[in-house]
Amino acid sequence: MYTSLIQALGIINCTIVKRHGNNNFELLYGTNDWAYALLPHARDDTHFTIDDHSPYLQDFLIDAEHFWQIGNDGQIQSGIWSEKTASSLLRLEAIAAVTKGECFLVINNLEQQYARQQKTLQSARELLITNDKMLAEQEYLQERLETILRQADNLTALQAPLNKVIEHAEFGIIIADADMQIVQQNPRALALFELSEQQAPPSPLSITMRLFNEQCPSVERILSTHSEWRGELFWHMSEYVNKWLDLSLQAVVDAQGALVNWIFILNDVTRLKYLQQRNEQLGMYDIVTDLPNRHLLLQNTESAVSDQHPFYFLYLDIKWFKRVNDRYGHAVGDTLLIELVERIQPLLGDENLLARMGGDEFAILLHDTTSAKECDAFCQRLIQTVEQPFYTPDKQQLRVGLNIGVAHYPSDATDCEQLVRFADMAVYSAKRQLDSHAAFYSKSLKDITMKRIAMEEALRKAIKAREFELFLQPIIDMRSGGIVKAEALIRWRDKSNKLISPDEFIPIAELCGLIIPIGHWVIEQAGNMLKLLHSYNDQLTLSVNLSPKQLNDEHLLDAFTATINKTGIDASKVELEITEGVLIDNFERVERHIRQLRKLGIRISIDDFGTGYSSLRYLQRLSVDTVKIDRSFVHDLSDNENDKAIVLAVIAIAKSLGLEVIAEGVETKAQRHFLMDNACFIAQGYLFGRPVPVDDFCQLLSCE
């Protein structure tokens, strides 16, 4: 009866079990010896549990359980791992699947495929495919390490199965602290550099950092911004021995956004590089897209610099591509990249070169464009092309965006290394924008980047010193003139007593992840503040803004639960404001979080309503209480007929769905009269009061 499921998953030599509850499984298919070796309890019991016999499988089940509880149809994969049994060495891959509300665990035995790949190792293309498959194991372990280290006070908190996997991993693992001092390394890390525990320096970490500093142009930015990096390093070990090392570098920050660890994962890819050199076609071209790879691109860039003809170097970063890979798998991600290349190629002339730098990054050498204006127009055409929807084989719509960093030879740089580094700096600046964006390198951009780095460091210190304050802006019932709600708005008062606008520091906090600890502080303070406000008016509702990244924070619900329990406040008097654009970006995750928050009794408001897309469709599916008319529509109510029509439409939609409607940015009596005449009675804006410190707001309440 499960044959169709097996065919749909595209596997034959597999074991399928059905999940009936937490660690409660039933064997449906697969009675091979290897299956019983992996799941010994399945041999005798109809319903069985999965113990810690396999560290990799046990670790994957943590993510699988989370996925099953969400309940959406689809699947997630573990990546390939090696499993030693009494009789053989297995190559396995696990899949957690949900279909029509039922949950399954599929374990796929890839031994035959792996054996075939080993027999054809002389082929460089086959070796590349094998290498990509095996790297999935490495990526999975790295993600698990990052999650655990971020939440741990020390390395003793590492899960026991994971610690065992680290020790026996076939690739080098080094965990360093914030000062780049080794706190843990596995035997493979020493073996890669032909060192032993008893040897004096140099250590694997010191050698790696020396190579990294010498060979990575953007090392300074990567370390200062705690960015991820993946690439290859060349080690001239001795007169007769050279090695190529594949390095994956990942920063780990704690709940307050402070750097706590670096994770280094190293693979010896010397044999792969040797085979690539014997096959120039494969050695210089990307295996997925058939585009020139990083090495061939840099050769062409060096050649273009030598010719001394002006050209533009474009660094392309695909927005939200990792989300596609995480949700739909790498096969769908690879298909998307292939289609993306097919779309971009027609925009290029014969003189220009498109290359894949690696992962979700591409580059273009643009020779036939003579001015910045022409280059910008070309960038906009690229963005429009990439933003058109993609579709999975089962017709699900995917959307990605495009950030572009642009540097010009010779205006910006006169050598290849600087040109690439400046384009990388420009694309990093473009990533600050929520939407797709093209940024051109300039001295001012460099100054902005350095200012941003300084601001980020100051923010980290401000979080530790608790230099933030919450101001309150009254929300009025215009019929009575009474305060019915207050919106909490964050301010940063630095050590010199200067107030820094949230417009200045919130985007940087969003970009570097510090918005999460700041958001937790806001939740805690809002609870204490609401308790104080209720001593003046116990019917008052406090509104708190949630950023897009906070809605991706798995600890958001815990933060609100802890605050409600600690302060004893009425959760129904807390209202969370989310922007309309967040719904479009990741509706399923937002819906799940909103459902959980609603169970606590918390109210939900859609902020900036009318500025997003497909709003009515989302409102019909979500359980929300309030919509807020964006201030941009209220501002021109007196003389703009289009804005009047939009405001009337929003009021009508809200009323038809039984939602409360609030108008933002009310500054004139004419705006107030128009809103009241059209049954919008709740409003906020400078006409009624500016954001003020909590003591001043309490004075307003005491005067009512």
Side-chain angles (χ1 to χ4, degrees):
M1 63 181 288
Y2 293 100
T3 304
S4 59
L5 173 63
I6 297 168
Q7 292 173 344
L9 291 171
I11 51 183
I12 299 173
N13 187 9
C14 68
T15 293
I16 298 180
V17 296
K18 184 176 181 180
R19 174 188 176 275
H20 291 283
N22 189 18
N23 205 9
N24 181 3
F25 298 93
E26 175 190 1
L27 182 65
L28 300 180
Y29 177 87
T31 56
N32 304 296
D33 289 340
W34 67 263
Y36 288 137
L38 192 66
L39 307 171
H41 301 307
R43 186 185 294 274
D44 302 315
D45 300 324
T46 304
H47 289 260
F48 63 92
T49 60
I50 300 177
D51 57 22
D52 59 358
H53 182 75
S54 167
Y56 271 113
L57 180 59
Q58 193 67 27
D59 203 47
F60 173 66
L61 286 175
I62 297 172
D63 290 332
E65 189 63 39
H66 176 69
F67 174 74
W68 286 324
Q69 288 180 8
I70 295 173
N72 295 332
D73 280 10
Q75 57 180 259
I76 59 172
Q77 298 170 313
S78 68
I80 300 173
W81 83 89
S82 302
E83 189 75 40
K84 186 75 170 73
T85 69
S87 59
S88 63
L89 178 65
L90 304 174
R91 310 288 178 174
L92 303 175
E93 180 181 48
I95 301 171
V98 178
T99 177
K100 298 180 180 178
E102 293 186 306
C103 302
F104 300 91
L105 174 68
V106 182
I107 304 173
N108 190 15
N109 188 335
L110 303 177
E111 185 61 31
Q112 291 182 354
Q113 296 94 314
Y114 183 81
R116 284 197 300 269
Q117 288 175 350
Q118 294 304 301
K119 290 178 182 178
T120 57
L121 198 59
Q122 289 76 17
S123 164
R125 180 176 290 272
E126 286 297 313
L127 180 59
L128 283 169
I129 294 171
T130 303
N131 185 66
D132 285 345
K133 284 283 189 180
M134 297 304 291
L135 285 179
E137 181 177 315
Q138 167 188 324
E139 292 171 359
Y140 175 68
L141 179 59
Q142 182 171 343
E143 288 179 6
R144 177 60 56 203
L145 270 173
E146 182 192 358
T147 301
I148 293 174
L149 286 171
R150 185 185 294 118
Q151 299 171 357
D153 294 328
N154 54 64
L155 291 181
T156 60
L158 282 176
Q159 298 173 6
L162 190 60
N163 224 337
K164 182 178 177 183
V165 169
I166 292 172
E167 286 299 309
H168 295 90
E170 296 180 0
F171 40 82
I173 300 172
I174 304 170
I175 301 174
D177 62 19
D179 297 321
M180 280 294 178
Q181 300 299 310
I182 296 176
V183 291
Q184 184 168 339
Q185 62 187 7
N186 69 346
R188 183 59 181 161
L190 291 163
L192 279 175
F193 296 96
E194 301 186 14
L195 300 171
S196 67
E197 291 280 5
Q198 291 73 34
Q199 278 184 269
S203 67
L205 179 59
S206 64
I207 298 173
T208 301
M209 286 306 298
R210 175 174 63 79
L211 299 176
F212 190 43
N213 277 286
E214 291 172 351
Q215 299 174 34
C216 178
S218 51
V219 59
E220 183 179 344
R221 176 186 64 79
I222 290 165
L223 296 179
S224 64
T225 59
H226 309 153
S227 301
E228 298 179 23
W229 190 81
R230 175 72 179 274
E232 293 172 352
L233 302 175
F234 178 73
W235 182 33
H236 183 62
M237 182 179 171
S238 68
E239 184 178 357
Y240 303 104
V241 181
N242 297 317
K243 279 191 178 184
W244 281 96
L245 301 172
D246 179 87
L247 169 64
S248 177
L249 178 64
Q250 175 76 45
V252 180
V253 297
D254 62 16
Q256 285 71 46
L259 177 68
V260 289
N261 289 105
W262 289 98
I263 301 173
F264 294 77
I265 294 185
L266 292 148
N267 270 300
D268 185 346
V269 292
T270 306
R271 187 177 185 189
L272 176 63
K273 298 298 291 185
Y274 172 72
L275 287 172
Q276 286 178 337
Q277 290 165 4
R278 293 186 61 184
N279 188 327
E280 186 68 16
Q281 181 70 15
L282 282 176
M284 291 298 180
Y285 287 82
D286 175 56
I287 190 70
V288 174
T289 63
D290 285 331
L291 289 176
N293 63 15
R294 172 188 286 269
H295 302 294
L296 185 53
L297 172 78
L298 294 179
Q299 285 185 14
N300 278 268
T301 306
E302 290 276 13
S303 177
V305 169
S306 299
D307 291 341
Q308 297 186 345
H309 293 303
F311 66 94
Y312 286 92
F313 186 98
L314 278 57
Y315 210 127
L316 280 56
D317 174 82
I318 312 301
K319 293 173 69 72
W320 313 306
F321 178 68
K322 185 178 185 298
R323 191 172 64 198
V324 172
N325 269 344
D326 290 346
R327 182 171 179 184
Y328 298 100
H330 289 274
V332 171
D334 288 349
T335 302
L336 185 150
L337 291 181
I338 292 168
E339 185 177 338
L340 182 145
V341 170
E342 290 173 351
R343 291 186 187 184
I344 293 178
Q345 290 282 21
L347 302 179
L348 300 170
D350 295 335
E351 298 179 44
N352 305 315
L353 176 69
L354 172 66
R356 186 182 182 194
M357 301 289 277
D360 57 0
E361 296 179 342
F362 292 77
I364 294 176
L365 288 184
L366 200 60
H367 293 284
D368 63 357
T369 300
T370 58
S371 69
K373 184 177 180 180
E374 286 182 32
C375 184
D376 184 58
F378 176 75
C379 291
Q380 298 311 312
R381 290 197 297 274
L382 284 176
I383 289 171
Q384 292 168 10
T385 299
V386 171
E387 285 188 332
Q388 295 301 310
F390 297 84
Y391 294 91
T392 65
D394 57 354
K395 307 304 180 185
Q396 293 190 60
Q397 188 181 99
L398 307 175
R399 287 187 179 272
V400 295
L402 183 64
N403 288 319
I404 307 174
V406 184
H408 182 262
Y409 172 83
S411 302
D412 296 326
T414 56
D415 64 74
C416 176
E417 181 181 336
Q418 271 199 329
L419 193 68
V420 175
R421 182 153 52 89
F422 289 165
D424 174 75
M425 189 179 293
V427 79
Y428 191 75
S429 173
K431 289 180 184 180
R432 295 174 58 192
Q433 308 297 321
L434 290 178
D435 298 323
S436 297
H437 187 69
F440 284 69
Y441 173 80
S442 63
K443 184 179 182 303
S444 61
L445 174 61
K446 184 176 181 180
D447 293 341
I448 291 170
T449 301
M450 298 308 295
K451 181 181 178 183
R452 186 201 62 75
I453 293 172
M455 173 72 78
E456 181 180 332
E457 185 58 32
L459 267 176
R460 295 183 190 279
K461 294 178 180 177
I463 292 170
K464 290 182 179 179
R466 302 175 75 87
E467 295 177 358
F468 300 102
E469 299 178 22
L470 286 184
F471 278 33
L472 297 175
Q473 184 174 24
I475 300 174
I476 305 295
D477 185 332
M478 294 184 289
R479 292 167 294 191
S480 65
I483 300 174
V484 293
K485 296 185 180 184
E487 181 175 359
L489 300 165
I490 192 169
R491 298 291 186 267
W492 175 13
R493 191 181 299 276
D494 66 13
K495 292 182 179 179
S496 66
N497 207 36
K498 174 188 173 185
L499 273 180
I500 301 173
S501 166
D503 292 339
E504 192 173 347
F505 69 85
I506 289 297
I508 294 175
E510 281 273 5
L511 188 65
C512 65
L514 293 176
I515 195 66
I516 300 299
I518 291 174
H520 285 185
W521 177 87
V522 169
I523 292 168
E524 178 187 342
Q525 293 303 306
N528 295 330
M529 192 171 285
L530 184 59
K531 188 174 182 178
L532 172 63
L533 296 178
H534 279 178
S535 65
Y536 294 87
N537 179 351
D538 60 7
Q539 296 303 306
L540 196 74
T541 297
L542 183 62
S543 179
V544 178
N545 291 280
L546 282 186
S547 76
K549 282 202 173 175
Q550 282 179 278
L551 281 166
N552 289 325
D553 178 15
E554 292 298 334
H555 301 291
L556 178 67
L557 184 68
D558 295 337
F560 274 107
T561 302
T563 295
I564 291 168
N565 292 338
K566 180 180 178 181
T567 59
I569 58 174
D570 181 355
S572 67
K573 298 303 180 184
V574 177
E575 186 166 86
L576 303 182
E577 295 189 17
I578 61 175
T579 59
E580 195 176 1
V582 173
L583 304 181
I584 298 141
D585 186 40
N586 196 341
F587 180 78
E588 286 76 14
R589 179 174 296 212
V590 171
E591 184 182 33
R592 174 166 57 87
H593 279 166
I594 286 178
R595 197 185 313 119
Q596 294 171 333
L597 292 165
R598 294 279 296 182
K599 287 180 181 178
L600 291 178
I602 294 172
R603 294 168 56 86
I604 303 296
S605 173
I606 306 299
D607 196 14
D608 302 337
F609 190 80
T611 60
Y613 309 93
S614 306
S615 310
L616 184 57
R617 179 164 64 90
Y618 291 118
L619 281 182
Q620 288 173 324
R621 291 179 56 186
L622 277 178
S623 178
V624 301
D625 302 281
T626 305
V627 295
K628 299 184 78 171
I629 304 173
D630 186 66
R631 66 183 68 250
S632 62
F633 302 125
V634 175
H635 182 265
D636 293 328
L637 271 179
S638 57
D639 53 13
N640 189 312
E641 293 300 322
N642 287 335
D643 284 351
K644 287 182 180 179
I646 291 172
V647 169
L648 292 175
V650 173
I651 294 172
I653 290 171
K655 297 295 183 183
S656 67
L657 295 175
L659 306 178
E660 181 183 58
V661 59
I662 299 176
E664 293 184 293
V666 179
E667 298 181 358
T668 68
K669 292 181 178 179
Q671 294 167 351
R672 174 183 178 180
H673 291 318
F674 177 88
L675 293 166
M676 291 190 68
D677 289 344
N678 290 282
C680 176
F681 301 116
I682 311 299
Q684 69 183 104
Y686 290 171
L687 183 64
F688 311 113
R690 294 174 178 267
V692 294
V694 62
D695 291 341
D696 294 345
F697 191 86
C698 290
Q699 287 292 326
L700 294 176
L701 292 178
S702 64
C703 294
E704 287 196 331

